Amino acid sequence: MLAVLAADSQTAKGAGVKPQPTLLTTDAAVQAAASAVLASGEYKAGANETVLLHTPSGVAAKRLLIVGLGKLAKATVHSVRDAAGTAVRFAKPRGIRELALALPSSEILPAASLPQSASARAAVEGAFVGDFDPDIYRSERKDQSVQSFTLLAPAGAGQESVKEAVEAAFAEGAIVGESQNFARSLINEPGNKLTPTVLGQRAALMAQEVGLDWEVHSTEKLHELKMGAFWSVAQGSAEPPALIVLRYTPEGVTDGPIMGLVGKGITFDTGGISLKPSDNMEKMKYDMAGGAAMMGAMRAIALLKPRVRVIAIVCAAENMPSGTAQKPGDVQTAMPLSAETPGKTIEIINTDAEGRLVLADGLTYARQLGATHLIDAATLTGAISVALGKINAGAFSNDDPTYARFDAAIQVSGEKFWRLPLGEEYADLIKSDIADIKNTGGRFGGAISAAEFLHAFAEDTPWIHLDIAGMAWVEDSRPYIAKGPSGIGVRSILEWVRSF
Ligand code: BES
Ligand code: MN
Ligand code: ZN
């Protein structure tokens, strides 16, 4: 099948002329094949709107699929990413296994709005992301994956340098898309299949495949490092925790920044003694999506080889109620940054605010290992969805220049994050009567007081916190992505790291 793009334009002039969508391909045979349906007014080229034509004459493919980008003036590489995903998801259930996508012609769309290689990379990412389906536990599942995906660069892009750039963009898009899908495959796993130990094994396997250094520790190491906050969550479960460390060291790089990536890896969150209601509790298998995002980003980093050192830490545990579980009112001592400084004491108000506890020690450990810049990702609060809906994920930072790089990264990744404030008045919400800090700050501004809790452990190391609780799971399938784990964070974290 050949997929081509069209956009909704208002280029028609004169009375009585119906505006019709613009085909973004100049090929004469494709134009002739598409002309009737475009003129009919039935197809408006809305975002991800499709129309299929059989046996288009003069075209080698048996089927021609037109995919809409929405308004022409607003078309971006992000619309191209989604359109490619839409084409793949159109092909899959129809048994179409070979797909070619024509990139938008620069004769129609100025390269300034849709740069050739950025479009190519985004299209390949979209194709991989679109190909993923989460139904791996169905007994009679048929693999409907698209087997072959080809990009057709428009005529005029024949120059050798352009060809090379598009080919490199294709390879990069494949790495990024596959890394995002790797994260999604982990997030999709149920809590009984993916325990902290299994997550550690999956990390080690991936690290060996792509050539990262890795260590996976458990209970003993948590005690040795005095990770009292991380352990307080793990102590209630029969499953041992996993402290996953992945290291990327580019050859010859011995100075400059060290990026510290810290992920929440709660493989199931029951709430603990502050037990969650049963409605939707099954979704809490995705409470390790932040950790999975870091693993996906590390996979891409290992393959794309930026010139900067990176350490990723995933704090994996199960949050369970049991005779050994921590209780509201307990006081825990977090990991000390060094032998001279004591760890902060934490009054546990709610055992369901466990993500911030494991991250507190993860952030401290990253700093102890030399991280100069920190980024964490976590399905941290329900409050972030109350604030931002399921449209944007939340972002927080204690350092504007560091955040500026993230802002640039999301322009490339197309992932939607919205920055929220921090501040002393919010930090006041988590002052404890009996300890240094308490683990909840009340209902109002809940995502921000959670971020302030983490800030207390990042201290003045430049740091970004991503609260992806509202965005880690796609609730309803879309034309370009299946219902299920989204893999949000992988692409933006990768781009942020590459900016250093
Ligand atoms: N894992 C949850 C947050 C969450 C909620 C993720 C919904 C994905 C979807 C987190 O551990 C949690 O339970 N947070 C509490 C914090 C509260 C007790 C202060 C919450 O948001 O209710
Ligand atoms: Mn919780
Ligand atoms: Zn949680």
Side-chain angles (χ1 to χ4, degrees):
M1 183 171 75
L2 171 65
V4 297
L5 306 174
D8 176 2
S9 56
Q10 269 121 26
T11 49
K13 286 172 205 93
V17 182
K18 270 195 282 175
Q20 82 174 49
T22 303
L23 199 64
L24 303 183
T25 302
T26 50
D27 181 85
V30 170
Q31 291 216 333
S35 67
V37 72
L38 293 183
S40 73
E42 292 165 25
Y43 176 74
K44 305 216 163 14
N48 306 304
E49 185 186 347
T50 50
V51 64
L52 180 70
L53 307 173
H54 279 262
T55 52
S57 87
V59 178
K62 286 195 202 113
R63 296 177 188 81
L64 179 65
L65 180 73
I66 307 176
V67 186
L69 291 188
K71 292 259 180 286
L72 182 65
K74 289 190 179 161
T76 64
V77 294
H78 309 310
S79 359
V80 173
R81 183 186 293 107
D82 290 351
T86 299
V88 168
R89 295 198 69 69
F90 185 96
K92 286 189 76 177
R94 291 170 175 85
I96 300 163
R97 300 288 167 259
E98 279 176 40
L99 178 62
L101 175 79
L103 286 172
S105 163
S106 46
E107 286 164 49
I108 299 169
L109 268 183
S113 67
L114 280 180
Q116 193 77 240
S117 53
S119 299
R121 177 190 148 169
V124 178
E125 287 171 6
F128 274 96
V129 168
D131 197 55
F132 179 96
D133 270 298
D135 59 341
I136 61 160
Y137 286 109
R138 265 193 233 291
S139 317
E140 307 206 346
R141 179 183 198 257
K142 319 191 261 279
D143 184 5
Q144 296 189 308
S145 291
V146 166
Q147 299 298 316
S148 145
F149 180 76
T150 310
L151 276 184
L152 302 176
Q159 282 165 285
E160 206 49 39
S161 61
V162 177
K163 187 161 176 265
E164 266 170 38
V166 171
E167 279 169 358
F170 190 109
E172 192 172 306
I175 289 170
V176 176
E178 285 182 307
S179 297
Q180 183 173 343
N181 285 351
F182 167 67
R184 293 165 84 198
S185 69
L186 297 171
I187 299 163
N188 191 48
E189 291 290 346
N192 66 328
K193 305 277 185 196
L194 192 102
T195 59
T197 306
V198 174
L199 186 62
Q201 289 164 353
R202 299 282 283 264
L205 214 65
M206 179 276 285
Q208 282 157 19
E209 275 168 20
V210 301
L212 291 167
D213 293 326
W214 61 274
E215 293 161 41
V216 180
H217 303 286
S218 190
T219 310
E220 219 173 287
K221 185 76 171 184
L222 266 61
H223 292 323
E224 185 192 313
L225 292 169
K226 299 193 167 65
M227 289 183 153
F230 185 178
W231 174 248
S232 79
V233 178
Q235 73 180 45
S237 174
E239 289 292 339
L243 171 62
I244 301 167
V245 185
L246 300 171
R247 274 196 179 81
Y248 167 74
T249 316
E251 231 177 74
V253 176
T254 53
D255 59 2
I258 301 180
M259 317 310 295
L261 280 46
V262 182
K264 171 177 174 181
I266 300 298
T267 57
F268 197 82
D269 181 11
T270 67
I273 296 298
S274 314
L275 192 63
K276 285 182 182 295
S278 13
D279 266 9
N280 294 320
M281 204 209 271
E282 77 285 357
K283 287 283 168 59
M284 284 301 108
K285 69 172 187 175
Y286 77 70
D287 214 17
M288 32 59 73
M294 294 315 182
M295 286 168 57
M298 285 305 277
R299 183 187 182 278
I301 287 165
L303 296 171
L304 294 173
K305 301 189 174 9
R307 302 287 300 157
V308 62
R309 292 172 291 174
V310 191
I311 302 175
I313 292 164
V314 178
C315 299
E318 224 183 34
N319 189 22
M320 296 290 278
S322 78
T324 62
Q326 70 175 334
K327 303 166 290 295
D330 286 1
V331 174
Q332 310 291 0
T333 306
M335 177 184 174
L337 184 58
S338 67
E340 297 80 55
T341 51
K344 288 197 163 82
T345 55
I346 306 165
E347 182 187 10
I348 306 298
I349 302 298
N350 189 319
T351 66
D352 198 11
E354 84 297 342
R356 62 198 77 182
L357 295 172
V358 305
L359 289 172
D361 286 347
L363 289 165
T364 302
Y365 192 38
R367 294 173 74 200
Q368 195 179 81
L369 294 176
T372 57
H373 295 74
L374 296 166
I375 191 164
D376 75 70
T379 45
L380 202 65
T381 68
I384 198 67
S385 321
V386 175
L388 297 174
K390 288 173 180 286
I391 312 288
N392 276 285
F396 301 81
S397 182
N398 61 355
D399 187 63
D400 290 343
T402 301
Y403 191 78
R405 290 173 182 271
F406 190 75
D407 210 27
I410 63 180
Q411 309 302 321
V412 176
S413 74
E415 293 179 331
K416 290 180 126 184
F417 285 90
W418 195 265
R419 190 176 179 184
L420 292 166
L422 294 166
E424 260 175 54
E425 290 141 303
Y426 292 109
D428 286 345
L429 297 172
I430 48 172
K431 280 187 173 156
S432 163
D433 294 335
I434 67 162
D436 295 335
I437 192 171
K438 61 182 178 181
N439 82 329
T440 63
R443 231 158 57 79
F444 297 112
I448 307 179
S449 54
E452 278 296 353
F453 185 93
L454 301 178
H455 189 189
F457 296 90
E459 296 190 306
D460 47 19
T461 302
W463 152 81
I464 294 171
H465 159 55
L466 305 177
D467 191 341
I468 58 170
M471 298 293 290
W473 199 260
V474 180
E475 308 277 351
D476 300 295
S477 67
R478 305 199 195 119
Y480 51 91
I481 193 168
K483 175 177 171 178
S486 67
I488 189 176
V490 172
R491 300 204 304 261
S492 303
I493 293 160
L494 164 69
E495 288 313 314
W496 179 75
V497 166
R498 290 172 100 193
S499 80
F500 282 86

